[in-house]
Amino acid sequence: MANVTVIGAQWGDEGKGKIVDWLAERAQCVVRFQGGHNAGHTLVVGEQVYKLSLLPSGIVRGTLSVIGNGVVLDPWHLREEIAKLGAQGVTITPDNLHIAENCPLILPFHRDLDGLREDVSGAGKIGTTRRGIGPAYEDKVGRRAIRVCDLAHLDSLGPQLDRLTAHHDALRAGFGEPPIDRDALLADLREIAPVVLPYARPVWLSLNEARRRGDRILFEGAQGVLLDIDHGTYPFVTSSNTIAGTAAGGSGLGPSAVGFVLGIVKAYTTRVGSGPFPTELEDETGQRLGERGREFGTVTGRKRRCGWFDSVLVRQSAAVSGITGIALTKLDVLDGFETVKICTGYRLNGATLDHFPAHAADQAGVEPIYETMEGWSESTAGARSWAQLPAQAIKYIRRIEELIRCPVALVSTSPEREDTILVRDPFTD
């Protein structure tokens, strides 16, 4: 059986939630492999709308859902999200939710540090969600993190706390903040440990067993490739690797387990927060895209910046993430435009570029080169076959395929999971 890895191929918010939900019904296991609770997925199932930011999307259907070691886990948010979904009728137990025992924890002082840094950064502000994700990843690579498995050994946590407080107390002093209250932290950890530990597992072991059984595994990425810590628009990126290859290390399975890589791509471009955005439209057209697409962040509620489709960025995402095929979403938002534009390259200092430069100043300085296409007046909303799409909409899709050098595997035409045109089945191809 083929596995599938779903990633965002832009700056996130591409509509991964619906696609993952659509695929999760046919998977035996759904795995989150990076990020934290800064990643929002909205699922529409019948009349119910579920907003997830930490739990894998498979959980709403009772599919075994796994939070891998590549995720940083806020245990208090986990409790809140489980309770919220429980109130919507979703049953979550240690039978259908497993959390990697080596998963690092996001602690209260991580959130404090995240906010303090943003407040004093001025023009260098990254635009984080202030949820402590970045500082938690810093502690992980700094070898001072407290992990899920440590919650079962709190009486022997002293040496780790020494390393942790030696680092953070110095940082806090620089902001005029008091040192970490170790007793209060331990009390908080003792209080939350019974909530988290029942879900703790060596998930690398259970996932390898699932693979040997031939189970279909769906890897669910968070954010988007353009926010990858290495390959994104640095420094305006997230704190983890968002590319498909991370599914291997962030879950405990080898690289051959990644399978079909499905890149989710919006039919236009959006971005939340700070950073370069070559095709951004700060005019009536951009406002129209935002209003029609209901472009507000699932987690933050922040208004998303909107612009035309940037084929250069998506081509780059497809290359560095090894995307097998794309899922094109929100095509219906472009309905009614007389013309639509696609960015096919950039100009920078008199030169023409076919890729996005690495330096922040060059990224901010590029000018998009546009190709203009005739739009379509007919509605694409709810289409479930090519025959239901206007001819110009099909031409637009085909041109995107040519420019990004990657085929379309499916087209999503509304938030409803059935409103999908399937070209290539990721689980069988």
Side-chain angles (χ1 to χ4, degrees), residues 92-151:
I92 300 174
T93 72
D95 291 327
N96 62 10
L97 176 63
H98 294 175
I99 299 174
E101 59 188 2
N102 52 340
C103 193
L105 299 180
I106 300 173
L107 301 171
F109 53 82
H110 290 136
R111 296 193 296 270
D112 295 343
L113 181 59
D114 206 353
L116 289 166
R117 283 173 170 168
E118 281 288 278
D119 289 341
V120 300
S121 291
K125 187 175 293 187
I126 301 296
T128 78
T129 55
R130 297 170 177 260
R131 296 191 166 202
I133 283 87
Y137 273 117
E138 290 176 39
D139 280 349
K140 173 184 177 177
V141 298
R143 296 167 294 183
R144 53 183 172 265
I146 295 174
R147 304 184 298 170
V148 167
C149 57
D150 293 318
L151 294 174

Side-chain angles (χ1 to χ4, degrees), residues 14-89:
E14 302 95 348
K16 291 186 292 296
K18 169 196 167 169
I19 305 300
V20 171
D21 175 57
W22 184 76
L23 291 167
E25 190 175 48
R26 300 163 57 213
Q28 283 74 52
C29 183
V30 180
V31 184
R32 272 284 307 274
F33 57 86
Q34 50 76 218
H37 61 305
N38 55 342
H41 290 166
T42 300
L43 311 183
V44 180
V45 183
E47 298 298 315
Q48 282 276 23
V49 177
Y50 303 97
K51 292 185 181 291
L52 310 177
S53 55
L54 176 62
L55 293 170
S57 297
I59 200 71
V60 302
R61 297 189 177 277
T63 305
L64 175 61
S65 298
V66 174
I67 296 176
N69 56 276
V71 174
V72 284
L73 181 91
D74 183 323
W76 295 277
H77 178 86
L78 174 72
R79 178 170 61 187
E80 291 173 9
E81 196 164 318
I82 289 174
K84 181 181 71 174
L85 289 179
Q88 291 185 272

Side-chain angles (χ1 to χ4, degrees), residues 60-371:
V60 302
R61 297 189 177 277
T63 305
L64 175 61
S65 298
V66 174
I67 296 176
N69 56 276
V71 174
V72 284
L73 181 91
D74 183 323
W76 295 277
H77 178 86
L78 174 72
R79 178 170 61 187
E80 291 173 9
E81 196 164 318
I82 289 174
K84 181 181 71 174
L85 289 179
Q88 291 185 272
V90 178
T91 301
I92 300 174
T93 72
D95 291 327
N96 62 10
L97 176 63
H98 294 175
I99 299 174
E101 59 188 2
N102 52 340
C103 193
L105 299 180
I106 300 173
L107 301 171
F109 53 82
H110 290 136
R111 296 193 296 270
D112 295 343
L113 181 59
D114 206 353
L116 289 166
R117 283 173 170 168
E118 281 288 278
D119 289 341
V120 300
S121 291
K125 187 175 293 187
I126 301 296
T128 78
T129 55
R130 297 170 177 260
R131 296 191 166 202
I133 283 87
Y137 273 117
E138 290 176 39
D139 280 349
K140 173 184 177 177
V141 298
R143 296 167 294 183
R144 53 183 172 265
I146 295 174
R147 304 184 298 170
V148 167
C149 57
D150 293 318
L151 294 174
H153 301 274
L154 292 176
D155 289 336
S156 57
L157 204 60
Q160 284 167 270
L161 287 177
D162 289 341
R163 288 195 298 275
L164 200 61
T165 55
H167 177 78
H168 280 275
D169 286 350
L171 290 175
R172 292 171 67 88
F175 287 107
E177 296 291 317
I180 293 170
D181 186 332
R182 290 173 60 142
D183 291 337
L185 175 61
L186 277 169
D188 288 343
L189 293 172
R190 291 187 196 284
E191 182 263 341
I192 201 66
V195 175
V196 180
L197 286 174
Y199 303 101
R201 297 283 192 285
V203 301
W204 66 269
L205 184 59
S206 54
L207 287 174
N208 274 278
E209 290 171 350
R211 193 179 180 203
R212 281 198 298 273
R213 288 194 302 269
D215 289 353
R216 286 173 167 168
I217 301 173
L218 178 62
F219 297 97
E220 175 185 15
Q223 292 93 29
V225 174
L226 300 178
L227 293 174
D228 184 275
I229 188 69
D230 289 309
H231 299 286
T233 49
Y234 192 92
F236 302 100
V237 291
T238 195
S239 299
S240 59
N241 286 110
T242 60
I243 57 172
T246 310
S251 65
L253 285 168
S256 60
V258 171
F260 189 108
V261 179
L262 183 65
I264 316 301
V265 179
K266 208 174 277 186
Y268 50 102
T269 311
T270 64
R271 177 166 200 169
V272 170
S274 306
F277 185 169
T279 65
E280 183 173 12
L281 297 170
E282 300 180 270
D283 57 12
E284 290 182 5
T285 301
Q287 185 174 348
R288 182 180 176 187
L289 288 170
E291 290 173 353
R292 295 199 61 187
R294 299 177 184 175
E295 296 296 353
F296 295 92
T298 300
V299 170
T300 64
R302 290 184 292 181
K303 184 179 179 180
R304 296 177 187 137
R305 301 153 63 191
C306 299
W308 294 120
F309 186 86
D310 191 328
S311 69
V312 183
L313 288 175
V314 177
R315 183 169 65 240
Q316 202 157 320
S317 293
V320 301
S321 225
I323 292 174
T324 315
I326 67 166
L328 190 69
T329 67
K330 292 200 170 186
L331 181 66
D332 56 299
V333 174
L334 298 180
D335 293 352
F337 281 88
E338 287 188 13
T339 59
V340 291
K341 294 183 179 182
I342 301 175
C343 173
T344 60
Y346 305 124
R347 291 189 185 90
L348 178 66
N349 300 325
T352 300
L353 300 181
D354 63 355
H355 66 281
F356 202 49
H359 195 275
D362 292 337
Q363 292 177 350
V366 297
E367 295 179 13
I369 299 170
Y370 285 118
E371 180 178 300

